């Protein structure tokens, strides 16, 4: 469960970075593709944070990590 909490904090960090990138892209009219792509990282970060929060909230039914934990970060 400690790993889930660390991953949730990493998701929060990625979300903050992506929102900052989106802010710069929208309000300063930056046309850098890297910043626009970085702002898209908010989507898998939200999904990953939600799955970690659900596992944290329902500890007694948590059976460990599975491959579906990475499904929000791997677009297949």
């Amino acid at each position: 469960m400690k790993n889930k909490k660390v991953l949730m904090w990493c998701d929060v960090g990625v979300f903050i970075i992506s929102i900052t990138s989106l802010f710069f892209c929208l309000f300063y009219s930056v046309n850098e593709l890297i910043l626009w792509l970085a702002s898209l990282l908010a989507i898998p970060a939200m999904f990953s944070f939600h799955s970690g929060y659900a596992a944290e909230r329902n500890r007694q039914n948590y059976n460990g990590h599975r491959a579906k934990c990475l499904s929000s970060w791997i677009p297949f």
Side-chain angles (χ1 to χ4, degrees):
M1 205 40 83
K2 279 186 174 182
N3 290 338
K4 271 293 194 196
K5 286 185 181 181
V6 170
L7 289 176
M8 286 172 58
W9 279 109
C10 290
D11 289 333
V12 169
V14 167
F15 187 71
I16 290 171
I17 290 170
S18 65
I19 293 300
T20 305
S21 174
L22 184 64
F23 173 77
F24 280 114
C25 288
L26 292 177
F27 293 112
Y28 291 117
S29 299
V30 177
N31 291 328
E32 293 291 325
L33 181 63
I34 299 293
L35 289 176
W36 282 105
L37 292 176
S39 64
L40 289 177
L41 287 175
I43 297 167
M46 285 188 294
F47 286 129
S48 180
F49 182 82
H50 177 69
S51 68
Y53 182 74
E56 178 70 28
R57 191 177 59 210
N58 197 3
R59 282 186 183 202
Q60 63 272 12
N61 293 333
Y62 181 68
N63 294 327
H65 300 302
R66 291 189 213 119
K68 74 174 189 171
C69 297
L70 294 175
S71 63
S72 62
W73 284 100
I74 301 173
F76 295 119

